[in-house]
Each structure stands twice: as structure tokens, then as C-alpha cells.
Amino acid sequence: MLIKKPSDVKSSEITPEKVYRNRRAFMKETAALALGGSLLGGASPVLAQDGDALKARAPEALSLSAPAPWWESKFAEVTPAPDQEPYFTGETLTPYRDVTRYNNFYEFGMDKSDPSSRSGTFRTDPWSVEISGEVAKPGTYHLEDLLGPMQLEERVYRLRCVEAWSMVIPWIGFPLVDLIKRFEPTSKAKFVEFETLVDPETMPGVTSRFAIVDWPYREGLRIDEATHPLTFMAVGLYGSYLPAQNGAPMRLVVPWKYGFKSIKSIVRINFRETMPNTTWNDLQANEYGFYANVNPQVHHPRWRQDMERRLPQTLFSRQYIETRLFNGYADQVASLYSGMDLAVNY
Ligand code: MTE
């Protein structure tokens, strides 16, 4: 793999001015939309306009219809991301087209374009999630009841894949801890395990003879990781509903870990005393650890991890940037791993 040295990265690609202008343009757009709303006598709250501004930046997001009518009222009030790290980054957003066309979602196939091109029949209503294990309130909950009390908010996070590419994505969702609290985990709940839907009717990847995964796709976090304020459950992006290829109706986003931890289309959340098996770790333990914290000093056998390719890219322009420890979220999460050898616990 060709790696561009930091000195080769054009300053125009990283200039703070560009970052600054990008954020200002976004805020002006938001203000203009909010003003337009009030001049027209629109009753929609300013909060919702931030989502509208994001949709305006990504016209394709406008065409997505709500998975069910109740989603519309849920999305009417979204708290905008505060204008500062770690819940916002001034880095240029990855265009909607790349966020929704360059995906890993093996249930739909192994090519980056498979999830968007082969998920047309995937449906997310009705949808329920089983909550099980070490909690006082286990049960199977309809998604509408799960999301009902949650206040949706926007978060702009970096997403770093172990394949050494990265994006900047404006998610909509809520902190996972707010959901977890409602089920009242017991003192034995040391880990949280997640599972993705397996539907052979609508997910062509799960019946493919080339499939390498033992379905369902499984992921897990330690309870302190799962309840960390940065750990996010996303139900939308770019001011609109989550497209199937990005893990509709609900997927995890753990911004300081490699993307494979951010499991999509979740149907089960299980609280347990012991570390769960996880999909990629089961497949190839020497390549994919349970922790999977972004770490520029611990390389994957096939991908160096000290640089990353920031999408979008064209044939003629590729932007490489240096990868940061914990994907730039070290101030928030490094203490979770104090005393641990990160090269051993990769
Ligand atoms: N979740 C499921 N169920 N199946 C998958 O194949 N791929 C993971 C993760 N979640 C995957 C998944 C990987 S490898 C990455 S990098 C991210 O999803 C990609 O998320 P994105 O397609 O929204 O960028």
C-alpha cells in the first residue's frame, strides 16, 4: 500500500482556514434556514433546522422517507452538536455520497458498493430489540418504545476503519449509556454484547457461498466502554434517517475504536459477566483484537496504522493524514486503559 508521508500532504488539505470556512459556511447556512423558517411563520424549532441544514448539504438525504410515521416526530427535534471537540470536529465532512456508497456491511456482500446496491428490500419496521442477561428489566422491546424517551442529538465524529481509510460523519442518535441505564444492569454486568439481524430474504450476503462470517455479526464492549459518554447509538446521519447500508434502524458508533466495533442493525443487546466472542476476533484473532482501539503504533499484519486515507478520494487526489492514538479521542478515553499494554490488548 502506498503511504504518503506527512510532508507530502499539501498544506491546503489541512489548513485551519479551510476548516474554519467550512464550519462558518455550515453555521451561516443553518442561520439562513432558521431565519427562513421564522419569516415564513414556520413553527419548527431552531433545533430542527440544524438537521435541515445538513440535509441541504446532502440533497439525497431529503429523499429518504421515514421508516414509519413515528420517526418523523422523533427527528423534528434534534439537539445540534456543540461547536467543540469531542462531540464536534471542524474537519471537513465526508460527502453524503461517500458515507452512503462506500460501506462495509457483509450481510449485503463484501464489496464496498454491495450494501447500497443490494439493500433495496431491507425493511426496518416493525423492528424489535431483545435486551437480555444481567439486567433487572430484560425483555423484547419495540424500537418505538426504546427510542420514545431518547432525546436525539447530532455528533460529528471521525470514523477510522482498520483498513486504513477514514471519514468524518455527522451522526444523529443518543449516548448508549442513556439507553443502558433504563434496563438497570446488575453488578455482574461487566460486558455488553451486541448482535445484528440475520435475514436471508433481504440480506444476500448471509446466504452467499463466499460468506466468511459465522452469522449473526457480533460485537462487544466492556461495560465502562459501553457507558462512556462518547459511545453513541446512531439512528440517522446528515440530518436524516439512517440508510440501510449504514446500519438502519440503529447502529453503534464507538469513535475511538476501529470501525468494525461499530455494529449495525442491532437486534440484541446482552449484558454478561464474561467477555463475549466477537465476529472479527473469532475469524482471525491475531489480526483483530477485542479492544480494537485505534493505535498508530500497533500495526495490522496487512495495513500499517500510522497513516490513513481520508475519504473522499478520486483517481487523481488522495489525502493521507496521520492517525492519532484513540483516533484523536485520547483525552477522553485513555484513562479507560491505564496500566494495560495496548500492544498485547490490541
Ligand atoms: N456491522 C455489521 N453487522 N456487519 C458488518 O459487516 N462492518 C463493520 C461495521 N459494522 C459491519 C458492521 C466495519 S468493518 C466498518 S468499517 C463499519 O461498520 C463501516 O460503517 P459504515 O459502512 O457506515 O462506514
Side-chain angles (χ1 to χ4, degrees):
M1 183 179 177
L2 182 66
I3 302 284
K4 207 171 171 186
K5 296 193 297 295
S7 56
D8 296 337
V9 178
K10 280 195 249 130
S11 62
S12 60
E13 289 170 347
I14 51 172
T15 168
E17 194 202 349
K18 182 173 175 187
V19 166
Y20 172 83
R21 274 196 275 121
N22 184 52
R23 178 63 180 161
R24 292 302 108 186
F26 170 69
M27 289 176 74
K28 258 166 71 184
E29 201 170 31
T30 307
L33 276 160
L35 184 64
S38 57
L39 284 177
L40 293 170
S44 31
V46 174
L47 290 182
Q49 301 297 342
D50 220 19
D52 289 348
L54 281 170
K55 281 186 205 161
R57 292 165 73 89
E60 286 162 286
L62 285 167
S63 62
L64 281 188
S65 49
W70 61 267
W71 282 87
E72 288 177 26
S73 52
K74 208 67 223 142
F75 269 66
E77 282 199 15
V78 176
T79 308
D83 193 5
Q84 60 190 41
E85 292 266 1
Y87 302 130
F88 174 83
T89 163
E91 291 155 274
T92 305
L93 298 181
T94 304
Y96 185 80
R97 194 177 167 74
D98 299 84
V99 172
T100 58
R101 297 283 185 282
Y102 189 94
N103 299 102
N104 278 334
F105 199 168
Y106 279 26
E107 286 82 339
F108 293 102
M110 287 163 69
D111 283 348
K112 294 284 182 280
S113 59
D114 285 340
S116 54
S117 65
R118 303 174 82 195
S119 58
T121 57
F122 186 66
R123 292 288 166 267
T124 57
D125 184 68
W127 191 275
S128 50
V129 181
E130 184 192 342
I131 308 294
S132 56
E134 294 296 338
V135 282
K137 296 181 173 170
T140 299
Y141 297 85
H142 187 276
L143 192 60
E144 186 174 1
D145 299 326
L146 279 189
L147 298 193
M150 314 309 298
Q151 170 61 46
L152 297 188
E153 60 186 274
E154 179 209 338
R155 294 223 178 151
V156 183
Y157 279 157
R158 294 175 284 277
L159 175 82
R160 170 63 158 80
C161 179
V162 72
E163 297 163 349
W165 52 263
S166 64
M167 302 193 193
V168 178
I169 304 178
W171 300 105
I172 288 177
F174 52 87
L176 177 62
V177 61
D178 291 351
L179 186 68
I180 288 182
K181 277 193 293 209
R182 285 167 51 198
F183 309 119
E184 299 172 17
T186 71
S187 58
K188 287 187 176 165
K190 304 275 194 292
F191 292 88
V192 189
E193 177 181 30
F194 304 86
E195 272 179 31
T196 295
L197 178 76
V198 183
D199 180 12
E201 299 284 314
T202 61
M203 295 172 141
V206 303
T207 49
S208 162
R209 62 197 172 93
F210 301 110
I212 53 170
V213 173
D214 179 18
W215 315 106
Y217 190 103
R218 288 188 194 86
E219 258 313 330
L221 295 172
R222 256 177 14 197
I223 191 81
D224 57 345
E225 298 175 320
T227 53
H228 189 279
L230 281 180
T231 305
F232 202 57
M233 200 59 112
V235 294
L237 56 83
Y238 262 103
S240 190
Y241 314 107
L242 211 54
Q245 59 268 33
N246 292 94
M250 185 168 88
R251 61 89 57 86
L252 198 62
V253 181
V254 195
W256 72 93
K257 292 179 179 281
Y258 292 118
F260 66 85
K261 297 297 286 184
S262 293
I263 182 172
K264 298 177 170 182
S265 305
I266 294 168
V267 290
R268 182 162 179 247
I269 305 178
N270 184 40
F271 294 78
R272 44 188 289 160
E273 199 166 8
T274 53
M275 186 181 274
N277 282 35
T278 55
T279 290
W280 288 100
N281 187 239
D282 281 358
L283 272 169
Q284 200 71 40
N286 66 325
E287 296 193 4
Y288 309 98
F290 174 83
Y291 285 97
N293 292 319
V294 175
N295 191 334
Q297 276 145 31
V298 178
H299 299 293
H300 182 279
R302 280 174 289 132
W303 296 289
R304 285 189 66 86
Q305 298 297 358
D306 48 358
M307 299 288 284
E308 65 198 58
R309 185 164 45 90
R310 177 59 58 84
L311 298 179
Q313 65 171 51
T314 65
L315 220 46
F316 309 105
S317 129
R318 288 187 161 207
Q319 186 190 172
Y320 288 94
I321 58 175
E322 284 181 54
T323 291
R324 290 192 277 160
L325 183 61
F326 297 113
N327 203 20
Y329 300 99
D331 285 352
Q332 290 76 36
V333 301
S335 61
L336 295 176
Y337 310 102
S338 56
M340 273 175 69
D341 184 340
L342 297 178
V344 175
N345 297 286
Y346 53 90

